[in-house]
Amino acid sequence: MTRYVFVTGGVVSSVGKGIAVASIGRILKDRGVSVSVLKLDPYLNVDPGTMSPYQHGEVFVTRDGSETDLDLGHYERFIDMELTESSNVTAGQIYTDVIAKERKGDFLGGTIQSVPHVTDGIKQRILRLAEESQADVIVVEVGGTVGDIEGQPFLEAIRQMRNEAPRDCVFYVHVTYLPYIRATGELKTKPTQHSVRELRGDGIQPDAIICRSDEAVPDDIKDKVSLFCDVERRAVIALPTVESVYQVPLMLEDEGLGDLIVESLDLDTNPTAMTDWKILVDSILQPKREISIAMVGKYVDLHDAYISVKEALFHAGALHGASVDIQWIPAEEIERDGPERYLQSVCGIVVPGGFGPRGVEGMIDTVKYAREREVPYLGRCLGLQVMVIEIARNLLGKESANSTEFDPDTSDPVIDLMRDQRDVVDMGGTMRLGVYPCDLQKGSLAAKAYDCSSVHERHRHRFEFNNANRGEFESVGFWPTGVSPDGRLVEIMEYEKHPFMLGVQFHPEFLSRPDRPHPLFREFVGVAKDTLREGSQHSMPLSTIPTVS
């Protein structure tokens, strides 16, 4: 029988529920329990695909082409699994389904209400994932904060689950925040008490409370939370802010959360010391060197807009024994001031994806700088397209070269709207989405990195390389080294007169794992760490320094 762990959040948003859910999944998986994960988002958008990155952060694309919440990226990275559309449910999806059924007459003239019709729709999606995954445990995150108006139907639905499933099959975790009052040197529990009171008013008594804090949580604070929130003392779990999010599973395990969940849900599990995860965390926390990588993008003011790219760089850095210091550089500033002042000391450059013309000329200037100075460069999605535009302008002499996304009337459309996108009217869920195959050219950087001849990668785009110009680009050493099996779509391009200059149309970051970095990020960081720039030098062990007698 499937068990359920429901995770809610209190006091403030961005308290770390997603990392907590991912960590619970990791803990259970290490004990031999099969796990699947679900994110319930109370917003009325059908999915985050049309939302600004500044509103929502990154849009994470699953293997089946669903545009989902960025927390699914945490789930996949921590638990090392691939999720589908069934793992992200929004209020917009639920209300759309309910209204569509009402229009069809499925409710036989009844009055449609939040309870039971909306709550039933939510429960059906939870049960559907349980049926599809056949997992031992479904870990469910309820987005937002307890007390939000839009979250009420979701809280009511998970409350009802305790009555519909056997009581020993449901476990509630509340993630809350303990503010620190610096003037008095105290952590305060009152906001947590009020949050739990609000949750209990919705009919949910938490079985465990995870106390987030920027300071260590002393025993007397745990005692107070236990007393006033009516949970077992051992169920008050301290989770202070840590250097790396990958420490969180170890901290929750050390605090006893894994044992508590296993006992409460009567799970038959294997003992675990999380040895492999500890080795991974040690490699992250004890780097031998630091390398500086520039992220030149449109949305760098909100780092969550590129969170999977950031994590993929960290994964690759850990493999190479290095910490990656990301320099977040707005493309508009390079467009305004030129690239030298921003890029003169970095060992590598990443240009990630984005939409619209803002900052694109700065990205093109960045490509030119990387090409001429031989700075390792990795472009993904838009990062490939600006490579194509820069080389067309500066090596092929096509001064007006552009993408029709930015200049619909350009005389040299080296990037153009995909053929099957030209009649698309709706914006949501209509891009080229999900996993597609890519055949690799033997002997290319990409083929060497992947160590195979064909790969499958996740996509999210409308525009593509214009094949009419392929021969001209090849003549200057800019080669399509990854293409669709039918040869029609260019997926990867490399500039051969450079140590590492590679662009991809897909999103490799979505497949990177902390213990298994994506091959392209692995190779990029491997070249970048050996690149000397202004003010840097290779380290030399003392034993190799000659002595003077």
Side-chain angles (χ1 to χ4, degrees):
M1 179 175 291
T2 303
R3 274 78 165 175
Y4 301 91
V5 176
F6 293 105
V7 181
T8 56
V11 181
V12 293
S13 59
S14 302
V15 74
K17 296 191 306 297
I19 297 295
V21 167
S23 298
I24 290 169
R26 180 76 248 178
I27 289 169
L28 293 175
K29 183 176 180 179
D30 268 31
R31 291 169 177 255
V33 177
S34 63
V35 177
S36 195
V37 196
L38 173 60
K39 174 71 183 289
L40 302 176
D41 277 311
Y43 52 72
L44 290 177
N45 303 67
V46 172
D47 61 43
T50 58
M51 295 170 69
S52 165
Y54 289 121
Q55 289 276 319
H56 191 265
E58 170 187 85
V59 175
F60 187 83
V61 178
T62 56
R63 67 184 184 190
D64 60 354
S66 297
E67 296 174 293
T68 69
D69 185 81
L70 63 82
D71 278 328
L72 270 73
H74 292 313
Y75 307 158
E76 289 205 1
R77 286 187 288 271
F78 276 66
I79 308 172
D80 193 9
M81 64 189 306
E82 290 194 67
L83 302 171
T84 67
E85 65 169 349
S86 297
S87 287
N88 195 192
V89 176
T90 70
Q93 294 172 16
I94 297 297
Y95 288 127
T96 298
D97 289 346
V98 170
I99 292 170
K101 289 178 180 178
E102 186 275 332
R103 292 289 82 189
K104 288 170 60 181
D106 288 359
F107 299 115
L108 301 177
T111 300
I112 313 307
Q113 298 175 293
S114 292
V115 181
H117 301 100
V118 171
T119 52
D120 282 353
I122 296 167
K123 289 186 293 182
Q124 286 166 10
R125 294 295 293 270
I126 296 171
L127 296 171
R128 188 177 90 181
L129 177 61
E131 178 66 25
E132 290 176 358
S133 67
Q134 293 295 300
D136 297 327
V137 176
I138 306 294
V139 187
V140 181
E141 176 186 352
V142 181
T145 306
V146 168
D148 293 344
I149 293 174
E150 60 269 26
Q152 292 302 308
F154 291 89
L155 294 177
E156 173 60 18
I158 69 169
R159 180 198 69 78
Q160 293 177 17
M161 286 292 294
R162 179 154 245 172
N163 292 324
E164 297 192 10
R167 285 188 169 262
D168 62 354
C169 289
V170 174
F171 190 90
Y172 296 110
V173 178
H174 191 51
V175 183
T176 185
Y177 182 71
L178 303 178
Y180 180 74
I181 308 301
R182 197 160 299 280
T184 59
E186 294 178 298
L187 286 171
K188 290 297 184 179
T189 67
K190 191 66 71 177
T192 294
Q193 295 176 42
H194 285 299
S195 180
V196 172
R197 182 183 301 169
E198 182 83 23
L199 187 63
R200 293 168 73 181
D202 291 325
I204 298 172
Q205 169 62 45
D207 299 297
I209 298 175
I210 297 177
C211 297
R212 284 281 294 107
S213 172
D214 291 327
E215 307 289 335
V217 181
D219 287 344
D220 64 313
I221 293 293
K222 289 185 176 182
D223 293 338
K224 194 172 184 181
V225 171
S226 173
L227 176 65
F228 286 97
C229 296
D230 194 24
V231 295
E232 288 184 75
R233 171 61 176 74
R234 69 170 185 146
V236 180
I237 309 296
L239 186 56
T241 300
V242 289
E243 183 177 344
S244 168
V245 293
Y246 299 109
Q247 295 173 257
V248 174
L250 299 177
M251 298 184 68
L252 295 182
E253 184 66 84
D254 289 345
E255 284 281 300
L257 182 60
D259 290 336
L260 182 63
I261 292 174
V262 165
E263 292 171 19
S264 299
L265 297 180
D266 193 24
L267 291 166
D268 183 16
T269 67
N270 304 319
T272 179
M274 300 192 76
T275 304
D276 291 342
W277 199 262
K278 288 177 182 176
I279 293 171
L280 165 69
V281 170
D282 286 344
S283 71
I284 294 171
L285 298 181
Q286 299 174 22
K288 297 180 178 62
R289 59 181 299 180
E290 181 179 271
I291 57 175
S292 179
I293 301 292
M295 184 95 76
V296 180
K298 299 166 68 71
Y299 319 114
V300 294
D301 291 337
L302 180 68
H303 297 179
D304 275 0
Y306 302 118
I307 191 165
S308 288
V309 182
K310 179 184 75 172
E311 295 301 320
L313 288 169
F314 290 165
H315 301 163
L319 180 73
H320 289 288
S323 65
V324 175
D325 178 26
I326 299 177
Q327 304 297 309
W328 300 89
I329 303 172
E332 304 99 301
E333 294 189 8
I334 290 181
E335 188 173 334
R336 182 189 66 215
D337 303 324
E340 180 68 28
R341 62 178 289 191
Y342 299 101
L343 303 176
Q344 62 182 351
S345 62
V346 300
C347 298
I349 299 169
V350 175
V351 174
F355 299 93
R358 180 176 59 85
V360 165
E361 292 300 324
M363 294 180 185
I364 294 169
D365 291 343
T366 297
V367 174
K368 182 180 180 183
Y369 180 91
R371 179 175 57 80
E372 294 179 343
R373 304 297 180 91
E374 296 193 339
V375 182
Y377 176 93
L378 178 61
R380 20 83 73 214
C381 202
L382 179 58
L384 165 65
Q385 296 174 8
V386 293
M387 279 179 70
V388 172
I389 296 169
E390 189 277 328
I391 289 177
R393 289 180 183 179
N394 296 310
L395 295 186
L396 297 180
K398 297 177 181 290
E399 295 182 3
S400 63
N402 214 324
S403 167
T404 53
E405 179 183 5
F406 315 131
D407 181 4
D409 300 319
T410 177
S411 58
D412 288 304
V414 291
I415 302 294
D416 202 2
L417 190 64
M418 298 179 68
R419 192 180 310 163
D420 55 5
Q421 289 284 320
R422 291 176 183 174
D423 295 324
V424 170
V425 177
D426 292 339
M427 297 296 291
T430 57
M431 284 186 276
R432 186 177 185 234
L433 295 164
V435 169
Y436 290 90
C438 171
D439 291 341
L440 306 177
Q441 179 179 303
K442 186 176 180 180
S444 63
L445 278 175
K448 291 176 182 176
Y450 283 106
D451 192 25
C452 61
S453 59
S454 181
V455 296
H456 289 75
E457 293 281 0
R458 301 184 193 181
H459 295 69
R460 184 176 184 253
H461 64 103
R462 296 188 194 277
F463 292 80
E464 64 173 336
F465 175 82
N466 188 341
N467 281 305
N469 303 287
R470 189 183 291 195
E472 291 180 85
F473 282 108
E474 291 175 353
S475 70
V476 295
F478 191 37
W479 293 90
T481 58
V483 297
S484 59
D486 62 5
R488 188 172 67 88
L489 299 177
V490 171
E491 300 276 17
I492 305 173
M493 296 196 75
E494 301 175 18
Y495 184 55
E496 66 180 5
K497 303 172 185 178
H498 194 282
F500 190 102
M501 192 164 198
L502 182 149
V504 299
Q505 187 57 72
F506 47 82
H507 291 261
E509 67 274 16
F510 293 152
L511 293 180
S512 187
R513 301 291 183 260
D515 57 347
R516 195 173 63 258
H518 189 281
L520 296 181
F521 281 92
R522 182 195 68 218
E523 294 305 303
F524 166 71
V525 171
V527 176
K529 74 179 176 64
D530 294 325
T531 300
L532 285 176
R533 298 302 310 284
E534 181 178 306
S536 63
Q537 61 182 19
H538 288 303
S539 59
M540 179 181 292
L542 292 176
S543 60
T544 66
I545 300 177
T547 58
V548 178
S549 58

